[in-house]
């Protein structure tokens, strides 16, 4: 049974209880909570490997929904007779839906438990994905992708909330790194699957495959994911209480700092996801299969660094130090990409740009799990609402960044690099200005 380590994780847990005082009764110390954990939580921990696979599948669904579709963007542009900027809005709509959906599903899961909202969301996701395959126009596809994102948000927010139900401290950071290993397979195989699907059918076949994946995951969740939030810990209030809880969370400057830090880092990542199909295929002339291979290599880098974070650094190096180093590398990589795409070094080929993107993607393996863990350490009283705020900020900022990468057309990669550098600098600024990692955590409040 996982227990919080001494040091940073334990300290954060007690401070989080103090921060939560105006919102809920202080949570008991993590060690005592583990000793007297309700039966459903104990049962879930005993099947930890199975829970890990299920949660990994839920967190893999968003990148699978986004990345399998990426090699098809140029084909969708030609098929529906729409500009590239309009087709990119199908990504933005899905992302915005995932952001807004989390604000609804997160508080629902704090009130009614994790299973019921999750199953409803998965069923709607399957229906919306099947409808995307039938979209006759770009405008309707944008609308269906919005619905797909709204429903798919359930898996994202509830998976994080379940992790917070079961783990605390550095153990939570380790678990997030393990989830990254599982969910990180999706960005590797998704473009590869998408590229192969395009060999045998049109882009609509990608949504048919996603529908099948959604059905399978819904059945797995229904059979194997047990409830992790006991009734006595659920919130009984309605919308008003949910809003008060979120307002209280946002009033915690450090929680807000980690939330914005992670959101801006994610936006830098999503700028790459949104622009790379056009940058790699249209500007540098690579095939959909080559693009898929490069995308997979970058995802391997992200997974590898994430595992180094979880298996080597966590428990030996403070989460703040690991996060700060990751943000610094992301900023340096984004700077190099801007210099290369702007022609400062003359005309460069695909290989140097791909190398810069690889470094940027790999450093996300330090940024993403640690920001999630550091933020959720402060919120044992409202994991669903906190998870919703974390996810919503990431997806909304990413949705804003997405259309900006194509603002100058398909002939230049400079907008992508500008957006990435701006987001990286903003993320680093929030980390230093709001989280203040060099100060003792009690003072940072």
């Amino acid at each position: 049974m996982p227990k919080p380590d001494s040091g940073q994780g334990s300290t954060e847990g007690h401070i989080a209880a103090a921060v939560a005082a105006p919102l809920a009764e202080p949570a008991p110390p993590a060690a005592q909570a583990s000793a007297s954990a309700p039966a459903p939580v104990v049962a879930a921990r005993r099947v930890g490997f199975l829970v890990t696979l299920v949660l990994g599948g839920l967190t893999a669904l968003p990148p699978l929904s986004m990345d399998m579709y990426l090699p098809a963007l140029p084909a969708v542009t030609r098929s529906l007779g729409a500009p590239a900027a309009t087709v990119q809005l199908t990504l933005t709509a899905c992302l915005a839906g995932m952001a807004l959906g989390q604000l609804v599903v997160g508080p629902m899961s704090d009130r009614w438990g994790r299973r019921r909202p999750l199953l409803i969301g998965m069923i709607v996701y399957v229906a919306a994905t099947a409808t995307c395959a039938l979209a006759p126009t770009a405008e309707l596809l944008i609308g269906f992708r919005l619905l797909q994102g709204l429903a798919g948000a359930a898996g994202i927010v509830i998976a994080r909330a379940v992790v917070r139900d079961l783990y605390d401290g550095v153990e939570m950071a380790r678990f997030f790194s393990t989830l990254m290993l599982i969910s990180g397979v999706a960005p590797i195989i998704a473009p590869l699957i998408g590229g192969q699907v395009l060999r045998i059918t049109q882009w609509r076949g990608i949504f048919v495959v996603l529908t099948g994946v959604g059905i399978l995951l819904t059945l797995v969740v229904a059979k194997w994911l047990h409830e992790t939030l006991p009734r006595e810990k659920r919130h009984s209030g309605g919308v008003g209480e949910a809003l008060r809880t979120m307002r209280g969370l946002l009033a915690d400057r450090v929680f807000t700092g980690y939330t914005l830090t992670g959101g801006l880092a994610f936006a830098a990542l999503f700028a790459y996801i949104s622009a790379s199909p056009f940058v790699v295929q249209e500007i540098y002339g690579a095939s959909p299969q080559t693009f898929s291979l490069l995308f997979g290599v970058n995802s391997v880098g992200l997974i590898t660094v994430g595992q180094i974070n979880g298996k080597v650094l966590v428990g030996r190096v403070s989460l703040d130090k690991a996060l700060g180093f990751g943000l610094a590398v992301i900023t340096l990589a984004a700077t190099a990409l801007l210099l290369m795409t702007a022609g400062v070094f003359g005309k460069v080929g695909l290989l140097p740009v791909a190398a810069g993107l690889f470094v940027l993607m790999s450093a996300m393996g330090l940024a993403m799990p640690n920001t999630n863990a550091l933020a959720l350490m402060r919120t044992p009283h409202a994991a669903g609402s906190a998870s919703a705020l974390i996810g919503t900020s990431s997806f909304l900022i990413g949705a804003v960044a997405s259309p900006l990468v194509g603002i100058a057309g398909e002939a230049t990669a400079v907008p992508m690099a500008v957006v990435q550098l701006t987001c990286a600098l903003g993320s680093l600024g929030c980390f230093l200005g709001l989280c203040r990692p060099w100060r003792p955590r009690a003072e940072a409040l």
Side-chain angles (χ1 to χ4, degrees), residues 320-337:
D320 280 316
K321 287 182 179 179
L323 173 58
F325 180 77
L327 294 176
V329 173
I330 291 170
T331 303
L332 290 174
T335 301
L337 284 167

Side-chain angles (χ1 to χ4, degrees), residues 124-191:
V124 177
Y125 171 86
V126 170
T129 305
T131 310
C132 286
L134 305 175
T137 66
E139 290 74 18
L140 285 175
L141 181 58
I142 291 171
F144 296 149
R145 289 280 279 175
L146 176 64
L147 180 60
Q148 183 191 40
L150 287 168
I156 310 168
V157 67
I158 292 178
R160 273 196 303 264
V162 168
V163 173
R164 187 62 186 91
D165 291 340
L166 300 178
Y167 295 92
D168 194 14
V170 296
E171 286 293 340
M172 183 164 50
R174 289 194 180 103
F175 195 89
F176 276 124
S177 294
T178 301
L179 280 187
M180 182 172 290
L181 173 62
I182 300 171
S183 63
V185 174
I188 297 175
I189 66 173

Side-chain angles (χ1 to χ4, degrees), residues 80-385:
L80 299 180
T86 300
V87 173
Q88 282 178 324
L89 288 177
T90 62
L91 293 174
T92 303
C94 187
L95 199 65
M98 290 179 181
L100 298 175
Q102 291 183 68
L103 286 178
V104 177
V105 177
M108 284 175 59
S109 73
D110 282 338
R111 182 177 182 183
W112 290 306
R114 311 305 185 198
R115 270 179 59 86
R116 192 191 313 173
L118 176 57
L119 287 172
I120 293 173
M122 291 302 302
I123 292 170
V124 177
Y125 171 86
V126 170
T129 305
T131 310
C132 286
L134 305 175
T137 66
E139 290 74 18
L140 285 175
L141 181 58
I142 291 171
F144 296 149
R145 289 280 279 175
L146 176 64
L147 180 60
Q148 183 191 40
L150 287 168
I156 310 168
V157 67
I158 292 178
R160 273 196 303 264
V162 168
V163 173
R164 187 62 186 91
D165 291 340
L166 300 178
Y167 295 92
D168 194 14
V170 296
E171 286 293 340
M172 183 164 50
R174 289 194 180 103
F175 195 89
F176 276 124
S177 294
T178 301
L179 280 187
M180 182 172 290
L181 173 62
I182 300 171
S183 63
V185 174
I188 297 175
I189 66 173
L192 297 174
I193 295 173
Q196 296 307 311
V197 170
L198 291 177
R199 284 179 174 270
I200 60 177
T201 186
Q202 297 180 345
W203 60 269
R204 299 180 189 275
I206 292 175
F207 289 107
V208 175
V209 174
L210 285 172
T211 300
V213 172
I215 293 172
L216 178 61
L217 188 55
T218 302
L219 295 175
V220 168
V221 168
K223 183 172 178 61
W224 282 301
L225 185 62
H226 302 289
E227 181 60 63
T228 60
L229 185 66
R231 291 185 179 276
E232 61 269 19
K233 291 190 176 182
R234 298 178 189 178
H235 295 190
S236 58
V239 176
E241 182 181 346
L243 292 176
R244 286 192 295 272
T245 299
M246 289 186 175
R247 185 170 65 247
L249 291 172
L250 292 174
D252 177 5
R253 173 175 47 78
V254 180
F255 170 81
T256 301
Y258 286 124
T259 299
L260 291 176
T261 297
L264 288 164
F266 180 82
L269 171 64
F270 195 75
Y272 158 74
I273 292 174
S274 182
S276 59
F278 297 97
V279 170
V280 173
Q281 296 180 72
E282 303 297 329
I283 297 178
Y284 293 99
S287 67
Q289 288 70 39
T290 300
F291 162 73
S292 300
L293 178 62
L294 291 175
F295 198 92
V297 169
N298 290 341
S299 298
V300 169
L302 187 151
I303 293 173
T304 301
V305 174
Q307 292 312 292
I308 293 173
N309 176 72
K311 305 298 184 184
V312 179
L313 299 181
V314 171
R316 295 180 175 89
V317 178
S318 74
L319 301 185
D320 280 316
K321 287 182 179 179
L323 173 58
F325 180 77
L327 294 176
V329 173
I330 291 170
T331 303
L332 290 174
T335 301
L337 284 167
L338 179 58
L339 294 176
M340 285 188 288
T341 56
V344 173
F345 303 125
K347 187 176 181 180
V348 298
L350 176 59
L351 187 59
V353 173
L357 291 172
F358 174 79
V359 173
L360 186 145
M361 279 280 284
S362 298
M364 293 292 173
L366 293 175
M368 294 168 64
N370 290 328
T371 51
N372 284 339
L374 286 164
L376 287 172
M377 280 177 187
R378 306 181 67 82
T379 61
H381 60 290
S385 296

